[in-house]
Amino acid sequence: MGEEEIAAFLSHLAIDRTVAASTQNQAFCALLFLYQQVLERKLEFISVERVRRPAKLPVVFTRDEVHLVLANLKGDYRLLADLLYGSGLRLMEALRLRVKDIDFGYNHITVRDGKGMRDRITMLPARLRRPLQSHLQHVKLIHQRDLARGGGAVYLPFALKRKYPNAAKNWCWQYAFPADKPSIDPRSDERRRHHIAEKNLQNAVKQAIRAAGITKVASCHTFRHSFATHLLASGYDIRTIQELLGHKDVSTTMVYTHVLNKPGLAVQSPLDQRVPAPGTATTNLDDLPS
């Protein structure tokens, strides 16, 4: 099978299966990898019927809903959710935070290798300074205990392990939110302490949303949407919010203005309009010309 069959399959996903654009793109990238990297066959131009579906508006918590959800979280999950909302972090950006990325002197957080492999700086909420410092003191005790047992190493990205052989056990490189137990890395067979699993935080947030009685289809990413929307509502400019979120194009950030300024929201519903007092002249709808 070649270009013709690939084009037919991808068009089938769009037309017959009505999948999302991201699903079709993922299928195309997987096939591209298979042919070029595994089969070592170069593909020519492929004409495909692309998925054309407008982007949906993001689900956003109100400020009261945010506090209700946060109130139903405890421990590390509460602190992580505070960072998702207070700093506008993505789920994996928060979980992959390392000790060196939290700067209490300048009150900011450095996000390394975010979406698009870009670094950025975002705010560290003032009310999280003391809880984070207390949390890191506890994490440091865990790290010291791991070192005493002959462990204490952490995963290092790219070629840093070869460049800095001793950095894996250095305190500054440790995850800010480590897992409860060390585990075996399937790629290297080394026993290391990884960060908290994303599924654990996702489940904790889902349970908190349910406990808060919120019926919106929300997730961890809803905190990031709420961060941007609430900053816009407070009067901060779109470019500043774009930088904090790490969006490459401001058009991505502009979606939050649609959440705030959806046409028609300022119009008063006829159900809420004042009813005329008895005896006041009114227009009978039946008397109007058809």
Side-chain angles (χ1 to χ4, degrees):
M1 292 189 293
E3 289 81 357
E4 185 177 345
E5 287 78 14
I6 292 175
F9 171 68
L10 294 175
S11 297
H12 160 73
L13 290 179
I15 298 170
D16 301 325
R17 299 291 299 276
T18 61
V19 301
S22 58
T23 302
Q24 188 191 44
N25 289 336
Q26 187 179 44
F28 177 66
C29 290
L31 287 166
L32 199 63
F33 180 85
L34 171 67
Y35 275 77
Q36 294 186 349
Q37 305 298 327
V38 180
L39 303 179
E40 296 183 352
R41 174 180 168 183
K42 185 177 181 181
L43 294 173
E44 302 298 331
F45 177 76
I46 300 175
S47 179
V48 179
E49 182 67 30
R50 307 295 292 187
V51 175
R52 292 183 179 86
R53 201 167 293 130
K56 295 181 180 179
L57 290 178
V59 176
V60 176
F61 289 133
T62 64
R63 296 179 189 271
D64 289 339
E65 288 172 340
V66 168
H67 295 302
L68 279 173
V69 175
L70 293 178
N72 283 282
L73 289 166
K74 296 180 180 179
D76 292 352
Y77 298 137
R78 169 61 191 265
L79 197 50
L80 278 164
D82 281 335
L83 284 172
L84 296 180
Y85 175 63
S87 304
L89 300 180
R90 297 180 178 91
L91 171 64
M92 294 308 299
E93 290 173 347
L95 294 176
R96 289 173 178 163
L97 274 180
R98 301 189 187 246
V99 174
K100 66 182 182 60
D101 298 328
I102 303 174
D103 193 324
F104 293 103
Y106 284 102
N107 289 326
H108 69 226
I109 293 173
T110 303
V111 178
R112 307 284 183 184
D113 304 320
K115 193 172 182 180
M117 300 301 290
R118 293 189 300 272
D119 292 357
R120 76 175 191 277
I121 291 177
T122 187
M123 65 184 73
L124 171 62
R127 66 166 35 172
L128 292 185
R129 281 177 54 89
R130 186 168 295 177
L132 261 178
Q133 288 172 335
S134 176
H135 167 77
L136 290 179
Q137 288 176 0
H138 175 66
V139 173
K140 192 169 187 178
L141 291 176
I142 296 175
H143 175 57
Q144 290 172 345
R145 189 163 60 242
D146 287 345
L147 288 173
R149 294 172 178 173
V154 72
Y155 166 76
L156 294 182
F158 310 115
L160 287 176
K161 184 178 179 180
R162 295 195 302 270
K163 188 175 182 180
Y164 305 112
N166 299 321
K169 293 188 176 183
N170 196 301
W171 164 239
C172 69
W173 281 98
Q174 301 302 305
Y175 287 115
F177 296 93
D180 291 334
K181 298 178 181 178
S183 57
I184 302 297
D185 189 329
R187 291 168 295 187
S188 63
D189 290 330
E190 293 183 29
R191 185 175 179 83
R192 294 191 290 231
R193 190 180 291 273
H194 205 51
H195 58 67
I196 292 176
E198 58 266 32
K199 199 66 180 178
N200 292 353
L201 178 58
Q202 289 170 333
N203 289 337
V205 170
K206 282 184 180 180
Q207 291 174 7
I209 292 170
R210 195 179 302 116
I214 296 171
T215 56
K216 294 177 178 177
V217 184
S219 65
C220 292
H221 208 66
T222 308
F223 286 117
R224 179 174 160 90
H225 293 322
S226 305
F227 165 84
T229 305
H230 295 168
L231 284 182
L232 272 174
S234 299
Y236 292 97
D237 66 278
I238 194 77
R239 292 288 184 181
T240 300
I241 298 171
Q242 177 194 356
E243 290 182 8
L244 292 173
L245 292 174
H247 288 160
K248 186 177 181 180
D249 196 313
V250 72
S251 62
T252 308
T253 319
M254 289 295 289
V255 69
Y256 300 109
T257 64
H258 297 308
V259 175
L260 288 175
N261 303 319
K262 190 175 180 181
L265 287 184
V267 177
Q268 188 181 38
S269 167
L271 187 63
D272 297 328
Q273 292 175 2
R274 197 172 170 186
V275 179
T280 305
T282 59
T283 301
N284 191 337
L285 294 179
D286 294 333
D287 294 337
L288 294 176
S290 58

